[in-house]
Amino acid sequence: MKKTIQNLNVLRKLSELIDKVGSEKNLISDETRSFFDEIGQEQEEQEITNTLLTQLQQMNEQMENMHWMNKHYRILHEFAQICSKTLNESVLLQKSYEMVSRVMPTDSFYIALHNPGDAHIQMIFIMDNGEPAPPSTVEFGENYTSKVIKTREIVHLKHRNQNIEYDTKMGEGEQDTRSCLFVPVVMDDQVKGVISAQSYRDFAYRKEHEDLLQMIGAQVINSIETARLYGKIYTMSRTDELTGLKNHRAFHEDLAQLIRNDDGEITVMMIDSDDLKKVNDRFGHDAGDLYLKILADGIKTLCDDNMEGYRYAGDEFMILIKTHIDLGVKDIYFKLKEYYTEHPLIVDDEKITVSISTGVGVYPYNGTTVDALKKAADQALYAAKESGKNRIVLAN
């Protein structure tokens, strides 16, 4: 009878433990072990009980890990949605830091990019004690970032005693980090970069943090590469290949945006070369291209935050003056003339000075739409051509 009661108590206790699997971190406490030690089981029974307790603890740890990963996969899903909605590199980097900080200590955090064969590593995003540090370049060599890139292996430092060969101090702080994760981001069989989280505490990270950091790193670096590629394509679509100035499309987009902003006067200078056809007919189109490049180079000397140049079409160029400036349009015109006098096209030892005619329209006086302003400048340019070329005319 006593033995039966004893076995029932053991079964009840095991049943209680089974019900708690996945709900408590330390399922098999010292109190629980004392219960089974004191119940007076025979050796064989005790061995079976110990085996069951070990298996229950393992099941509990697996359940805990599943709960942990399930919780944090939601973070990954949320971050993936952010990545799909923006191509802003700064936003992507900041959000990656915020996501990582939600699931692990980030006394220091950085994302680094590296191209195979480069002698330097680009630290494109650094956070130190919650404050951003400026991006920097570090030499590829004896540091953890380089080691991770070379070996393609995660470096997980759990306490300060491990930090023997490599410096783990980040930013301008005096304190060294103690627990550190350095995780390679491998894409297309190449290490594209490294993502790192670091803490001042010992044993701050677990194996699951490595996996999570690796997935976030892959998402953000892939998104950054996509954003940069898109940026290059977008820039190319708005840039004239011959001169390097912005093109027809960019002019229309920029002027439309300025009109929407309605920050004040907008001046449109339409510039047309006077002698390109003669240069092409006499010296060939290669010389004509050089002529256009000199014309464009003159415009580039004037460009700043308030003034932008465009090759609109053929030998027709535009200058947008975005706000009121001290320099008048006639002064701008004569500055261009001065540049062309000082930088002639030389073909077969012959000097050819670029000659331009210019028409000017001003928002809102000569038009309040892109087409109206362009038409006003075009009519003024036509008047400049009709009155002898090589001059500037302002729209009425």
Side-chain angles (χ1 to χ4, degrees):
M1 184 67 178
K2 181 179 178 181
K3 189 68 176 175
T4 301
I5 294 173
Q6 182 188 70
N7 289 338
L8 283 172
N9 288 336
V10 169
L11 291 173
R12 286 193 187 98
K13 191 65 174 178
L14 288 171
S15 178
E16 289 175 11
L17 292 174
I18 290 171
D19 289 339
K20 292 180 180 178
V21 168
S23 63
E24 296 182 7
K25 185 171 183 179
N26 295 315
L27 181 67
I28 313 301
S29 64
D30 291 341
E31 182 181 349
T32 300
R33 292 198 178 276
S34 296
F35 170 82
F36 287 106
D37 290 341
E38 295 170 0
I39 204 165
Q41 290 180 299
E42 294 179 5
Q43 184 175 349
E44 186 177 356
E45 292 173 335
Q46 192 172 12
E47 288 175 357
I48 294 171
T49 300
N50 287 337
T51 300
L52 288 171
L53 292 176
T54 300
Q55 291 175 343
L56 284 172
Q57 182 63 32
Q58 290 173 348
M59 288 173 59
N60 189 66
E61 290 174 358
Q62 290 172 356
M63 287 289 290
E64 185 197 0
N65 289 339
M66 288 176 63
H67 288 318
W68 191 93
M69 289 305 292
N70 182 56
K71 175 185 175 183
H72 295 98
Y73 276 136
R74 290 199 293 271
I75 298 289
L76 289 172
H77 177 68
E78 184 180 340
F79 185 57
Q81 288 183 316
I82 292 170
C83 290
S84 68
K85 292 177 181 178
T86 182
L87 290 173
N88 186 310
E89 186 171 323
S90 296
V91 171
L92 290 168
L93 291 168
Q94 181 64 34
K95 288 296 181 182
S96 68
Y97 165 70
E98 291 173 5
M99 291 295 171
V100 172
S101 297
R102 283 167 58 178
V103 298
M104 65 185 82
T106 50
D107 295 313
S108 289
F109 174 86
Y110 72 79
I111 294 176
L113 297 182
H114 180 256
N115 294 317
D118 281 2
H120 294 87
I121 302 167
Q122 303 298 322
M123 312 292 286
I124 61 170
F125 185 80
I126 303 171
M127 294 293 291
D128 190 33
N129 287 317
E131 296 295 329
S136 63
T137 301
V138 299
E139 189 175 347
F140 189 86
E142 294 303 311
N143 51 63
Y144 276 116
T145 308
S146 300
K147 180 180 180 180
V148 169
I149 291 170
K150 285 186 282 190
T151 64
R152 297 186 171 209
E153 295 178 355
I154 294 171
V155 172
H156 187 168
L157 305 176
K158 299 181 180 181
H159 52 84
R160 181 59 191 160
N161 290 340
Q162 289 184 269
N163 303 352
I164 298 172
E165 296 181 56
Y166 298 87
D167 181 24
T168 57
K169 187 163 66 178
M170 295 290 297
E172 301 298 325
E174 296 297 327
Q175 188 177 358
D176 289 341
T177 49
R178 302 173 71 88
S179 297
C180 308
L181 280 177
F182 302 89
V183 179
V185 179
V186 182
M187 297 162 56
D188 300 326
D189 200 36
Q190 287 186 336
V191 180
K192 298 286 188 176
V194 174
I195 182 169
S196 174
Q198 303 177 27
S199 172
Y200 295 133
R201 294 190 288 109
D202 287 334
F203 304 101
Y205 305 114
R206 54 195 285 174
K207 174 64 173 66
E208 289 78 13
H209 285 127
E210 299 175 12
D211 299 334
L212 197 67
L213 206 58
Q214 199 162 39
M215 287 183 274
I216 288 178
Q219 282 186 332
V220 69
I221 289 181
N222 182 63
S223 296
I224 287 170
E225 287 193 339
T226 301
R228 290 184 176 184
L229 178 61
Y230 175 83
K232 288 179 181 178
I233 294 171
Y234 179 71
T235 299
M236 288 172 61
S237 73
R238 290 166 48 89
T239 303
D240 175 62
E241 186 176 356
L242 177 66
T243 65
L245 289 174
K246 289 185 177 182
N247 62 14
H248 174 280
R249 173 186 174 184
F251 170 79
H252 279 266
E253 290 177 352
D254 291 352
L255 180 53
Q257 184 61 53
L258 289 172
I259 290 173
R260 283 194 295 271
N261 293 345
D262 194 20
D263 289 334
E265 290 185 3
I266 307 166
T267 302
V268 176
M269 296 181 68
M270 181 178 286
I271 299 168
D272 194 48
S273 74
D274 292 329
D275 300 319
L276 179 63
K277 186 176 185 308
K278 291 180 182 178
V279 172
N280 283 333
D281 291 344
R282 184 177 175 190
F283 300 105
H285 286 277
D286 287 345
D289 286 347
L290 292 174
Y291 185 93
L292 290 174
K293 286 181 181 180
I294 292 173
L295 199 162
D297 288 344
I299 292 173
K300 289 177 186 176
T301 64
L302 301 173
C303 292
D304 56 23
D305 291 341
N306 293 321
M307 202 179 306
E308 188 70 72
Y310 306 80
R311 184 186 180 194
Y312 191 75
D315 60 345
E316 195 168 84
F317 292 76
M318 297 284 196
I319 295 177
L320 274 184
I321 303 172
K322 304 174 187 178
T323 60
H324 175 73
I325 59 173
D326 294 333
L327 206 62
V329 288
K330 290 186 178 180
D331 295 322
I332 293 170
Y333 175 78
F334 287 114
K335 275 185 171 291
L336 283 173
K337 297 283 291 178
E338 183 180 356
Y339 178 89
Y340 300 139
T341 300
E342 295 173 355
H343 299 82
L345 171 65
I346 300 176
V347 184
D348 298 333
D349 296 327
E350 184 174 339
K351 291 184 178 180
I352 304 164
T353 300
V354 172
S355 175
I356 57 172
S357 297
T358 303
V360 180
V362 180
Y363 170 92
Y365 313 111
N366 305 124
T368 57
T369 66
V370 172
D371 288 342
L373 272 173
K374 191 177 68 172
K375 182 177 180 181
D378 189 41
Q379 289 174 342
L381 174 63
Y382 179 80
K385 291 279 192 181
E386 286 295 297
S387 57
K389 301 182 181 180
N390 195 27
R391 64 195 63 209
I392 181 172
V393 172
L394 279 60
N396 297 322

